[in-house]
Amino acid sequence: MKNLTPPTANTVHEAGLAALPAELTVDSGLAQLPAAMQRLEFISLWAIMELLSSSGALTAENVGRSSDEIINTLGAASRHHWLVRRWLVALVEREFLKLSNGYYSWEQIPESAAGADKLPEAYEALGFPLEMAQSHQKLLRHLAELVRDQVSINQLLFENGEILTALAAYQNNWFTTYLNYAAASIVKQAVKPGPMLRVLELGGGAGLTTAAILDTLAGRPINYRFTDISPLFTTAAQKKFRNHIGLRCSLLDINADFTAQSIPAASTDIVVAGNVLHNAAHIGQTLQRIRRSLVTGGWLLFSESTRENHAMLTAMQFLLSPAESESLLGSEDRRGGTDQVFIDSTAWQEELVVAGFEVKCFLPASTSPLSVAGQTLFFAKAV
């Protein structure tokens, strides 16, 4: 690994673009993505506004209320209090609410539905399957029950036991396709004649990142260890990728010591993590575990949400609410006391440096239409 020349940001970017449909990468294809994302986020925020209005949490008389008063009027379950506060922050950012001396009031009072029936059109434009739009419509219909814990997101999304299908729908879109194949191009660069390349994937989930990497390598020999905290995913991956020689699956918790989970120090050339590191109880400690597992000169590739996508505030964010006896993710690291689960690119770079990495690049560029989803690929070298 020490003697390999890392690919340039432009090379990685082009590899990601090559995985997208041709109509997206010519003319104004990509330029349409920001408008579609804006529609999706608007529908989600409008649903929150309607709930605040219909519940009486914020009234037409426009009397200011504190976040605690709003939460109590909503009847929100205690484990979702953080999420309601994130709702309020988002509404202020988008100038639907105003905040003065700790009290929230309407900037714009909702008068009519924003059109959840338009969700399929917006999701399709962003490359999601129809199932994602249908799932989100269902969640919006039950938003009040969700925030009060009268029904769980698991009951609504996975009512038929199709957890893998539901998560694959969430992860299957133009943004993650771009990031997965960009990451795969970096792994491909590392496959050279010589010792077998050792790859460790963390939080493999539905296996979309795995599939992109294996597809790009096109059968080249590799020692690939797929891990996840749930046997549901490792069992499914073992079946899905059973024809790939060199791939094995096992359980791994990113919040526990890696060596105790059969990942010795300096035993890995590349660590891959697709949208999972925000689940770290302490980001710095998890990055240190990853660094110890890598050889010096090894590579860490991971994608992460680096901004809060407002559309997900009424969807997948519910999955991040802690159990009643647990703390919110990040309560012991830089996220503590902020209600924020996701950190921005600058914060990730700072954490990587402290953990013993040199950041080589991160994509997409802030000027790219692909940046509107707030999903970022980081490529760092263990030093």
Side-chain angles (χ1 to χ4, degrees):
M1 290 294 298
K2 292 182 180 179
N3 298 322
L4 291 179
T5 303
T8 65
N10 186 62
T11 299
V12 176
H13 172 67
E14 291 298 326
L17 287 182
L20 299 177
E23 61 269 21
L24 269 184
T25 56
V26 297
D27 300 326
S28 59
L30 288 178
Q32 299 174 25
L33 297 181
M37 182 60 73
Q38 187 174 32
R39 288 196 301 273
L40 190 61
E41 292 191 297
F42 177 78
I43 292 170
S44 182
L45 291 177
W46 202 262
I48 295 171
M49 293 167 68
E50 289 183 313
L51 176 57
L52 294 177
S53 178
S54 64
S55 67
L58 285 175
T59 65
E61 288 74 24
N62 221 18
V63 177
R65 286 192 165 183
S66 68
S67 61
D68 286 343
E69 290 173 324
I70 291 170
I71 286 169
N72 290 335
T73 305
L74 272 178
S78 59
R79 72 191 193 96
H80 296 314
H81 286 187
W82 74 278
L83 184 54
V84 176
R85 289 191 289 266
R86 297 310 302 168
W87 288 359
L88 299 175
V89 169
L91 291 171
V92 170
E93 288 177 356
R94 295 291 288 270
E95 299 184 348
F96 292 121
L97 293 183
K98 53 188 174 185
L99 174 62
S100 178
N101 298 320
Y103 289 88
Y104 296 88
S105 57
W106 292 117
E107 191 73 51
Q108 301 180 45
I109 300 177
E111 298 178 353
S112 60
D117 59 318
K118 300 295 184 183
L119 279 174
E121 178 184 334
Y123 271 113
E124 181 182 13
L126 298 171
F128 287 89
L130 177 61
E131 291 85 352
M132 186 60 192
Q134 293 171 332
S135 294
H136 201 168
Q137 287 174 319
K138 184 188 299 183
L139 296 176
L140 293 184
R141 290 195 298 269
H142 295 277
L143 191 57
E145 295 99 315
L146 281 167
V147 79
R148 294 166 187 157
D149 258 356
Q150 295 167 339
V151 65
S152 75
I153 188 171
N154 289 343
Q155 288 174 293
L156 296 177
L157 287 187
F158 315 136
E159 58 182 350
N160 298 318
E162 296 294 332
I163 298 178
L164 283 170
T165 301
L167 289 181
Y170 166 58
Q171 296 171 358
N172 188 9
N173 55 75
W174 302 143
F175 307 101
T176 54
T177 296
Y178 163 81
L179 295 177
N180 285 338
Y181 277 88
S185 74
I186 298 175
V187 177
K188 182 179 180 180
Q189 174 78 14
V191 178
K192 304 292 184 183
M196 186 79 72
L197 187 72
R198 300 164 297 178
V199 180
L200 169 65
E201 182 175 358
L202 306 175
L208 298 185
T209 302
T210 320
I213 292 174
L214 295 177
D215 180 52
T216 303
L217 294 176
R220 297 186 187 188
I222 190 171
N223 183 341
Y224 197 109
R225 184 164 177 175
F226 175 104
T227 70
D228 198 279
I229 195 171
S230 170
L232 171 71
F233 298 118
T234 55
T235 301
Q238 191 72 59
K239 180 179 179 180
K240 180 177 181 180
F241 302 116
R242 61 185 179 275
N243 294 327
H244 290 274
I245 299 173
L247 183 139
R248 58 195 174 108
C249 301
S250 62
L251 298 178
L252 188 140
D253 181 358
I254 64 172
N255 292 315
D257 180 59
F258 282 17
T259 57
Q261 301 178 83
S262 302
I263 307 291
S267 65
T268 305
D269 299 311
I270 297 180
V271 171
V272 177
N275 201 30
V276 69
L277 295 186
H278 63 267
N279 289 302
H282 191 290
I283 286 173
Q285 291 176 6
T286 291
L287 287 176
Q288 289 168 14
R289 294 185 189 105
I290 292 171
R291 173 61 190 89
R292 285 194 292 270
S293 75
L294 283 164
V295 297
T296 298
W299 295 348
L300 168 60
L301 319 173
F302 69 98
S303 58
E304 260 304 331
S305 295
T306 51
R307 81 164 179 87
E308 194 167 61
N309 187 308
H310 294 160
M312 293 300 102
L313 287 171
T314 56
M316 294 302 181
Q317 297 283 63
F318 279 99
L319 290 171
L320 301 178
S321 288
E324 293 291 353
S325 60
E326 298 177 353
S327 300
L328 184 64
L329 291 171
S331 59
E332 299 301 321
D333 62 23
R334 67 163 66 216
R335 296 170 290 176
T338 68
D339 292 321
Q340 292 179 291
V341 172
F342 307 108
I343 62 176
D344 62 22
S345 294
T346 299
W348 274 113
Q349 292 177 77
E350 292 171 353
E351 292 284 355
L352 286 164
V353 170
V354 170
F357 289 94
E358 176 187 355
V359 180
K360 306 304 291 186
C361 71
F362 58 95
L363 295 166
S366 60
T367 54
S368 169
L370 287 163
S371 69
V372 297
Q375 291 286 317
T376 303
L377 173 68
F378 293 88
F379 172 29
K381 181 179 179 180
V383 295

